[in-house]
Amino acid sequence: QSAAGVGRNRRMSDLASNVNLIFDIDEQLVDARTTFRSPLARHLHEWWAGYKDGPPRRKDFNITEHAVLAANIFVVECRPNGEFSFRLLGDEVIHIIGRNRTGEILKPGAVGEYGHELFGYYTKIVRTRACMKCVGYLKFQDSNVARFESIDCPLVDDEGKVTRIIGVMDTLEP
C-alpha cells in the first residue's frame, strides 16, 4: 500500500467508526473530460476505460493486479430479478459507511444514510452501461465531516449483460 493510502486510512480511523449521513452528493457521468481527486478512483477508471469495445467482463478484473484498491473496493451484484445487493465491501468502505452491508438488498426509493436513491442510480448504470462518479460529504456520529469521491463501473458477462458494478470509495483531503 502506498504512503498516501496509509495516511488516508489513518485519517479515516481518526474521524469515527460510524457515518451518520451521506449528503450533498453530486452524481456525474464519467467521460474523457472527467477529473478525479482520488488516485484510487482514477486507477479504477483508467483500467475500466482501457476496454474500448464496451464494459469489461467480470472475469477481466483480477484484484491481485489492483491490490492498491482492495481496502476501498466494493462490488454490487445486479440480480436477474432487477434487484441489487452488496456482494463485497473492502475494509475501508465498511469503515467509511459504518458497517458491513454485504448481502444487503437495495430497495427502490430507499435513501437512508446513502444520501441518494442507490437503486435508481444503479439502474441507470445498468441501463446506460456507463461509468458514474459521485462526490459528496460524510457526517460522522462525532460530528466530524469528510468529503468523499466514489466511482461505479459496470461489468458484463460473456453475453454483454451487466451483472456487477465495481467501484471504489475514498475520502479526500479538505
Side-chain angles (χ1 to χ4, degrees):
Q1 186 176 24
S2 72
V6 170
R8 180 176 37 261
N9 290 342
R10 195 171 299 120
R11 280 193 314 279
M12 281 308 301
S13 298
D14 291 343
L15 287 174
S17 61
N18 285 323
V19 70
N20 249 359
L21 181 65
I22 302 172
F23 64 99
D24 286 349
I25 296 174
D26 179 27
E27 298 175 3
Q28 306 165 14
L29 179 66
V30 176
D31 61 25
R33 298 178 311 268
T34 302
T35 59
F36 295 97
R37 287 187 55 201
S38 164
L40 301 177
R42 184 179 321 107
H43 176 102
L44 183 59
H45 180 258
E46 287 172 356
W47 170 81
W48 187 86
Y51 288 82
K52 301 298 181 197
D53 296 328
R57 294 170 299 166
R58 176 181 162 217
K59 62 185 175 185
D60 291 330
F61 186 83
N62 182 339
I63 191 63
T64 62
E65 297 170 5
H66 306 278
V68 69
L69 302 178
N72 294 74
I73 203 158
F74 59 88
V75 177
V76 174
E77 178 180 14
C78 308
R79 296 174 154 199
N81 65 0
E83 293 179 335
F84 300 96
S85 66
F86 291 111
R87 179 96 172 148
L88 174 106
L89 298 169
D91 289 343
E92 188 63 11
V93 175
I94 292 168
H95 185 78
I96 290 169
I97 62 176
R99 66 182 170 93
N100 188 344
R101 299 172 189 274
T102 302
E104 182 177 304
I105 296 173
L106 300 171
K107 305 286 186 203
V111 174
E113 64 274 329
Y114 298 118
H116 64 151
E117 203 265 311
L118 277 178
F119 184 91
Y121 174 73
Y122 287 144
T123 299
K124 180 171 35 174
I125 291 170
V126 169
R127 188 182 71 250
T128 62
R129 299 165 50 99
C131 184
M132 298 286 292
K133 169 184 154 178
C134 289
V135 179
Y137 292 90
L138 307 160
K139 182 180 182 312
F140 296 90
Q141 288 180 354
D142 64 0
S143 298
N144 283 317
V145 175
R147 191 142 171 83
F148 78 92
E149 181 173 79
S150 66
I151 186 170
D152 302 270
C153 305
L155 300 177
V156 298
D157 61 15
D158 289 335
E159 287 77 46
K161 180 180 177 188
V162 176
T163 58
R164 299 280 193 277
I165 298 169
I166 190 169
V168 296
M169 185 175 201
D170 196 10
T171 56
L172 303 172
E173 292 291 334

